[in-house]
Amino acid sequence: VERLAWLIAELARAHGTRQVVDLGSGQGYLSRALAYQHGLDVLAVDADDVQTCGAQRYQRQTERHARRVEDRAPEQSQAYQPNVAPQGDSVAGEGEGNMPARGVLVHATHRVTERSLDELLAALHAKADHGTAGVSTEADEPPSGDASASAPARDDHRSGRVPWLLCGLHTCGDLAPSSLRLFVESDAHLLVNVGCCYNLLTESAVTSGANDQTNAGFPMSHWLRTELTRQGEAPSLGLTARHLACQAPGRWPSQAEATHQAFERNYYRALLHLFMVEHGMAAANVDAPRIGQLGRKPLPTFAAYAIAALRKLARSDRLSADQSARLHAFLAAPGDDPQAPAAVLEAFAAQHADGRRQVAAFWTLRALLAPALERLLLQDRVHYLREQGHDAWIIALFDPQASPRNLALVSVKTAEPAPVHD
Ligand SMILES: C[S@@+](CC[C@H](N)C(=O)[O-])C[C@H]1O[C@@H](n2cnc3c(N)ncnc32)[C@H](O)[C@@H]1O
C-alpha cells in the first residue's frame, strides 16, 4: 500500500493533478494513504456496500486520530513529508506518525463496468450539487475539510480540464480489464493498476478472427489475439492456467507448511484419479472429475482424503451410471472386510509410493510457469493500452517474496500516439 501510494502520488504530482479515483477500493487502505499521507482528493469506489461501510468506519477512526495528533502537537503535524519514498515493506500504518495537509476522501458504492464511469461521476455531482444521489450510487459527503474547496476541481473534472488518475489495487478478475477500458474511454489521464485473482477473468469465447471486438477479460489486445490465432491456438488460457498465474512459487521457502499441504492435496488428487481409472470409476482419457473443496482441515492420510472425495463424488452427478455403481459398491464394504475402503486405499498408496517424486517434479515445473503466465496476462494489457495510443509499462513495486502481486501497470495518455511494440 505504502509503495503504491507513493508511486501514485509521484505520478500525480509530475502531471499536476490531485484528483484520483480508486476502483475496487475495498476497506480503503490505499484511498486513505493517498488522501491522508499524500494529500490527494480521492473518490473511492467499491461494488460492495459492506466494504464501503467498513472503509468509512476506518476513515472516521483515522479522522479522530488525526484530530488528536493535531491537538497534541500542531507544529509536528506540519512536519510531515508526503513525498518521501517508502523505505521498508511495511503496510502504511494508520494512526501513526504525523498527518499532512489532507485531501478529500469520498466513498461510493457502485459496480464498475467499462461503461459506468460517466454515470458514477454524474451521480456524485448530482449529490454534491443538489444533495441527492443517483439511483445506483451511494456516496458520502466529504467527512472533513472544506467540501466547497473541491467544487472548482469538480467542475474542471466534469469538463475534462484537470487530468485525473484512475487507480486500483488488487482489482480482482474482470475489474482490471474494466478499469483499463474505462481509462481508455474516459478523460482520465493516468492509470495505475495492480490486478489479482486471474482465475476470475472471463475469456473470449471467440476462437477465430483476430479482429473481432471483445469485452472479455482476456485477451484484450489485438496483438495477442492475432498472435494466438496465427499459431492456430484458441485465444484463451483456460481456468487451470489462470489459476496457475496466481501462484507464487518464489514464496514456497517462506511458506513451507502451506506449500507442503498444497502439494499433498495435489498428490492425493493425482493418486485418487489413478485409483478411480484402475477401478473403472473414471475414464483415463478425459479430465479427472471435479472434486472441489473438502473442508478447511488438511486430511492426514491418502485414505482419509480419498474416502472424503469419493463420498462427495457419490453424492454428485459427475460420474456415469456405471462408474457411480462401482463407486457405491466400493464404499459399501464394511470396515472389518479386507476389501474395506481404507485398507484398499492405503495399500494402493504404498504400491505407488514412488509416484510422489514424479508428481512433485511435475507440480514444481508446472508452478515455475506461473510468473510467465502472469507476465503474459499483463503484457496483453500493456499491448491493449499501446494499441489505443497510450504509453504503458509494468513496474515491479517490491520483492514478490513480500507479496505475490508486485507488478503495477502504469499508463499515461500522451498527446502523440505511442508506438506499438511487439
Ligand atoms: C481484492 S479486493 C481489493 C480491495 C482493496 N483495493 C485492497 O487492496 O485492499 C477487490 C475489491 O474490488 C471490489 N470489486 C470487484 N468488482 C468490482 C466492480 N466491478 N466494481 C466495483 N468494485 C468491484 C470488491 O468488492 C472488493 O472489495
Side-chain angles (χ1 to χ4, degrees), residues 224-415:
L224 194 57
R225 292 170 70 79
T226 312
E227 202 52 36
L228 291 171
T229 310
R230 195 169 60 81
Q231 294 178 16
E233 299 285 342
S236 65
L237 282 176
L239 181 61
T240 305
R242 282 185 278 119
H243 262 298
L244 196 52
C246 304
Q247 286 202 15
R251 280 159 60 89
W252 285 358
S254 60
Q255 310 219 320
E257 183 57 31
T259 304
H260 177 72
Q261 284 173 14
F263 169 70
E264 285 294 293
R265 273 196 306 279
N266 272 272
Y267 171 59
Y268 288 166
R269 182 80 191 79
L271 200 55
L272 178 62
H273 188 208
L274 184 63
F275 178 86
M276 291 178 71
V277 169
E278 288 191 3
H279 291 77
M281 300 174 198
N285 52 355
V286 294
D287 285 349
R290 198 174 66 77
I291 292 173
Q293 295 288 329
L294 292 176
R296 289 184 174 275
K297 280 193 187 159
L299 292 156
T301 62
F302 171 64
Y305 169 87
I307 289 171
L310 291 173
R311 284 190 180 139
K312 192 170 173 189
L313 281 174
R315 292 191 299 272
S316 78
D317 57 1
R318 292 178 202 142
L319 305 183
S320 70
D322 188 40
Q323 291 165 348
S324 183
R326 287 174 205 266
L327 173 56
H328 279 95
F330 173 70
L331 288 175
D336 53 357
D337 189 316
Q339 290 307 305
V344 173
L345 289 162
E346 284 308 348
F348 188 80
Q351 186 192 342
H352 291 88
D354 284 352
R356 176 184 286 270
R357 292 175 64 182
Q358 286 171 291
V359 174
F362 178 75
W363 196 64
T364 306
L365 287 172
R366 182 177 168 275
L368 291 177
L369 290 174
L373 286 167
E374 182 177 31
R375 277 283 174 169
L376 177 68
L377 283 159
L378 296 183
Q379 209 56 44
D380 175 50
R381 294 173 187 179
V382 166
H383 274 267
Y384 165 77
L385 291 165
R386 288 182 180 161
E387 285 164 9
Q388 310 304 314
H390 312 312
D391 279 343
W393 317 265
I394 296 169
I395 294 178
L397 285 173
F398 46 79
D399 187 337
Q401 297 267 3
S403 172
R405 301 283 80 82
N406 70 323
L407 301 174
L409 176 58
V410 176
S411 185
V412 178
K413 284 184 181 162
T414 49

Side-chain angles (χ1 to χ4, degrees), residues 1 22-30 45-48 51 110-113 168-172 174-175 178 196-197:
V1 170
D22 178 10
L23 292 186
S25 48
Q27 300 277 306
Y29 298 104
L30 178 64
V45 181
D46 200 282
D48 185 346
Q51 300 292 332
H110 183 89
R111 176 158 293 281
V112 176
T113 67
L169 172 59
H170 296 157
T171 47
C172 48
D174 277 348
L175 183 56
S178 292
C196 74
C197 303

Side-chain angles (χ1 to χ4, degrees), residues 105-137:
L105 172 55
V106 180
H107 291 278
T109 299
H110 183 89
R111 176 158 293 281
V112 176
T113 67
E114 48 265 36
R115 306 249 164 245
S116 69
L117 192 64
D118 281 350
E119 184 195 334
L120 172 65
L121 291 174
L124 287 166
H125 294 144
K127 181 174 171 72
D129 295 344
H130 309 296
T132 56
V135 272
S136 61
T137 300

